[in-house]
Amino acid sequence: MIRSSIWKLEMSTQYEKSDPTPPSGSGSCLYDLLCSDTPRWDRPSDADTTSWLLRKETWRSFGPQARLERMLEDTGNRVCADCGSPDPKWVSLSIGVFICIKCSGVHRSLGSHISKVLSVKLDEWTEDQVDGLVNLGGNIVVNNKYEAFLPNNLKKPRPDSSIEERSDFIKRKYEMQQFLEGEQTSCRLQPHHRAPSSTLPLPPGYPLLNEKKHSEKQSRHRIGHRFRNSWGRKDSDHLKISKKSNSLAGMVEFVGLIKVNVVKGTNLAVRDMLSSDPYVILALGHQSVKTRVIKNNLNPVWNESLMLSIPENIPPLRVIVYDKDTFTTDDFMGDAEIDIQPLVAAAKAYEKSEIQESMQVGKCVANRDNNFLKDGIINLADGKVKQEISFRLQNVERGMLEIELECVPLTQ
C-alpha cells in the first residue's frame, strides 16, 4: 500500500513536469490535490478573483486622503456622530466615527486608549488606517451599536450644545458604554472603574500596587540598580497630577488645536548602564499623549507629530522625558514647560488679517526662565502659524529637546 502511494506520487510529479493534462484513473485524485492551493469547493473562479482584486486595487489606488473624502460623502458621515454638526473633519480612529472639532476635544479627554483622534486634513493617513476605519463601518454602523439602548427621554447633543452636555453624553456613550448594544440595563447604568481621564496616564509597564513589591524585589538584583534608584519615577515630584474629579474632565471650551512635532533629543541623560530608552509625554490640561520609545539612544530622532486641543484658559505645554524600563518604574529624564500663549495669539491675529505672504509674526526671547537655547521665532508660512523651539530639560543633569509647534484656530 505504501509503495503504491509512493508510486502514484512519483507518477503525478512526472505528469506535472512533462504534461499539463491531468492523468486519468486512481492517480488523478492525488494529482488534483498536488496541483490545488485550496480545495476546489472553496476556490472562487478566476474571473471572480480577478474582479475582486481589481476592485480592491482600484479603491486603494485613490490614496488614503481621497478615500477619506469619499467616506465623508456617505450620508451618515456628513454630520458629527455625536452632535449632528455638519461637515465633520475629525475622526475617532479607534471607534470609527467622524466627529466635529468640539466633540473631538471631549474625545481626546477620554484618553487615546478609548478614542484616538485624528484630523482628516491635518494628519497624514496611511492605507492601513483608512482600511481600519472602513472596516468599522462609519457613523451609522457605530451609532447603531453604541446607541442601541439610548433612552427615549435622553436627547443627543445638538451643534449648539454646551461643552458640559457634549462631555456628559460622550462619556456615557463611549467610556461608560451605557447605551451599548447587547448590554443589560443593570450593567448599562454602572460606569466602568477606569482611571480618571483628568490624570496623566502612567506609561506602559508602570507597576500597579499589587505588583509593586514584586518589582522592587526584582530590582534589588538588577545590575546597576544602586546607581539608578535615585532617578526612579516619583509621581509626587514630577507628574503633579490634577486633583479634579473625573466628572469635570472634558468640560472645557476649546479655542483651537496645537500640533506638536517632537523632532529630536540631544545629549540626554543616561539611565541604564550606558544609554537610555527615551520617550516623550506631552500634557496640556487634562490631555496627554506620548511618542514611541527609541531604544538605546541618547540622541533620539522621533519626528513624530501629536495633536492636543487648546483649552480656553490656556495652560503651559508640559513636556516630560522618561527612560522606558521593563521590570522597574520608568526613569525620569527631565521636563519643561512651554508657554504657548504667544503662538495662539499670533494665530488668532493672522486669522483676522489678510496677510498672504510668508513672514515672521512673533518671537519668544530666550532667557533663564524658559531655558530656550535660542529665540523661538513664530513664522507664518503657507497659511500656517508655526514656531520652532529648542530648550534645555529641567530637573536633570543634562539633555536638550527640539520641537515644532503649529496652532490651528477653532474656526479652521
Side-chain angles (χ1 to χ4, degrees):
M1 179 65 71
I2 296 176
R3 290 182 180 180
S4 175
S5 299
I6 295 175
W7 178 82
K8 290 178 181 178
L9 178 60
E10 291 175 350
M11 287 297 293
S12 64
T13 305
Q14 291 174 4
Y15 277 117
E16 184 179 359
K17 291 181 179 179
S18 60
D19 190 355
T21 304
S24 59
S26 60
S28 63
C29 294
L30 182 59
Y31 177 85
D32 289 341
L33 290 175
L34 289 170
C35 296
S36 298
D37 294 329
T38 59
R40 291 190 180 275
W41 53 84
D42 277 342
R43 190 193 308 173
S45 67
D46 292 340
D48 291 342
T49 302
T50 303
S51 176
W52 180 83
L53 290 174
L54 183 61
R55 289 196 302 270
K56 181 179 179 182
E57 290 304 318
T58 301
W59 173 240
R60 290 177 69 97
S61 67
F62 289 113
Q65 201 64 42
R67 291 171 64 192
L68 281 174
E69 296 293 343
R70 284 173 173 261
M71 290 184 68
L72 279 170
E73 295 175 3
D74 292 346
T75 303
N77 299 336
R78 294 177 184 175
V79 297
C80 173
D82 296 325
C83 74
S85 295
D87 196 24
K89 295 299 183 184
W90 297 86
V91 176
S92 172
L93 184 61
S94 51
I95 297 173
V97 289
F98 289 87
I99 52 179
C100 69
I101 192 170
K102 291 185 177 181
C103 290
S104 73
V106 181
H107 274 256
R108 283 194 185 87
S109 71
L110 300 179
S112 58
H113 62 291
I114 296 177
S115 182
K116 182 177 181 180
V117 179
L118 294 179
S119 167
V120 173
K121 298 288 188 181
L122 300 176
D123 285 302
E124 295 182 2
W125 286 72
T126 65
E127 293 288 358
D128 289 340
Q129 287 175 327
V130 178
D131 287 343
L133 186 61
V134 170
N135 291 336
L136 289 171
N139 286 7
I140 293 178
V141 174
V142 174
N143 277 349
N144 286 340
K145 174 183 177 181
Y146 283 92
E147 298 178 6
F149 293 94
L150 188 67
N152 294 329
N153 60 349
L154 179 63
K155 301 298 182 182
K156 290 183 62 173
R158 300 179 304 276
D160 59 349
S161 292
S162 67
I163 192 67
E164 288 82 4
E165 291 176 299
R166 295 176 194 269
S167 179
D168 178 69
F169 178 79
I170 291 172
K171 286 168 67 65
R172 293 176 67 182
K173 179 178 176 180
Y174 299 113
E175 185 178 28
M176 300 177 183
Q177 299 182 356
Q178 291 184 359
F179 325 123
L180 186 65
E181 175 185 28
E183 291 288 329
Q184 299 298 322
T185 304
S186 59
C187 297
R188 296 201 311 271
L189 299 179
Q190 296 177 1
H192 295 292
H193 297 285
R194 299 180 184 272
S197 57
S198 59
T199 62
L200 186 65
L202 300 178
Y206 195 87
L208 301 176
L209 292 176
N210 58 353
E211 298 173 345
K212 192 168 183 180
K213 291 184 179 180
H214 178 65
S215 63
E216 289 177 351
K217 183 177 181 180
Q218 286 181 323
S219 64
R220 294 173 189 168
H221 304 287
R222 185 172 179 179
I223 299 175
H225 176 69
R226 68 178 61 183
F227 302 108
R228 303 176 52 210
N229 57 8
S230 61
W231 298 104
R233 178 173 180 170
K234 298 179 181 179
D235 292 339
S236 59
D237 294 337
H238 303 301
L239 290 184
K240 298 179 181 179
I241 296 175
S242 171
K243 300 298 182 181
K244 291 187 178 181
S245 66
N246 190 31
S247 61
L248 296 178
M251 293 188 182
V252 179
E253 290 287 352
F254 296 105
V255 297
L257 298 149
I258 186 164
K259 187 176 183 180
V260 185
N261 181 29
V262 182
V263 182
K264 65 179 181 179
T266 304
N267 195 29
L268 299 182
V270 175
R271 289 294 178 266
D272 295 327
M273 290 298 293
L274 299 174
S275 187
S276 297
D277 303 328
Y279 66 93
V280 179
I281 289 179
L282 303 175
L284 190 66
H286 300 301
Q287 313 157 79
S288 64
V289 289
K290 68 184 287 290
T291 67
R292 67 187 186 278
V293 177
I294 295 184
K295 295 287 188 179
N296 195 31
N297 200 324
L298 298 180
N299 299 283
V301 177
W302 284 281
N303 270 329
E304 186 170 345
S305 294
L306 303 167
M307 193 89 69
L308 293 162
S309 299
I310 304 174
E312 189 174 24
N313 297 320
I314 305 173
L317 174 67
R318 185 87 186 277
V319 183
I320 320 167
V321 184
Y322 286 104
D323 165 58
K324 176 65 177 176
D325 284 331
T326 303
F327 300 109
T328 61
T329 58
D330 292 356
D331 297 322
F332 178 75
M333 296 179 64
D335 63 353
E337 288 191 349
I338 308 296
D339 184 9
I340 64 172
Q341 293 195 38
L343 178 68
V344 176
K348 288 182 176 180
Y350 163 70
E351 187 181 17
K352 298 176 182 178
S353 70
E354 297 180 355
I355 301 174
Q356 298 297 329
E357 67 274 9
S358 299
M359 60 181 296
Q360 178 180 328
V361 294
K363 179 174 69 174
C364 294
V365 179
N367 54 49
R368 291 184 178 180
D369 293 331
N370 57 32
N371 290 285
F372 285 6
L373 298 174
K374 58 183 180 180
D375 293 346
I377 306 299
I378 302 175
N379 290 313
L380 171 62
D382 300 325
K384 299 178 180 179
V385 180
K386 296 184 176 182
Q387 183 179 21
E388 296 181 0
I389 301 177
S390 299
F391 56 91
R392 297 182 185 86
L393 292 169
Q394 300 301 294
N395 305 307
V396 69
E397 68 270 24
R398 72 185 199 196
M400 294 168 284
L401 217 62
E402 181 179 328
I403 62 175
E404 296 174 350
L405 307 179
E406 178 186 343
C407 182
V408 183
L410 189 62
T411 54
Q412 295 185 16

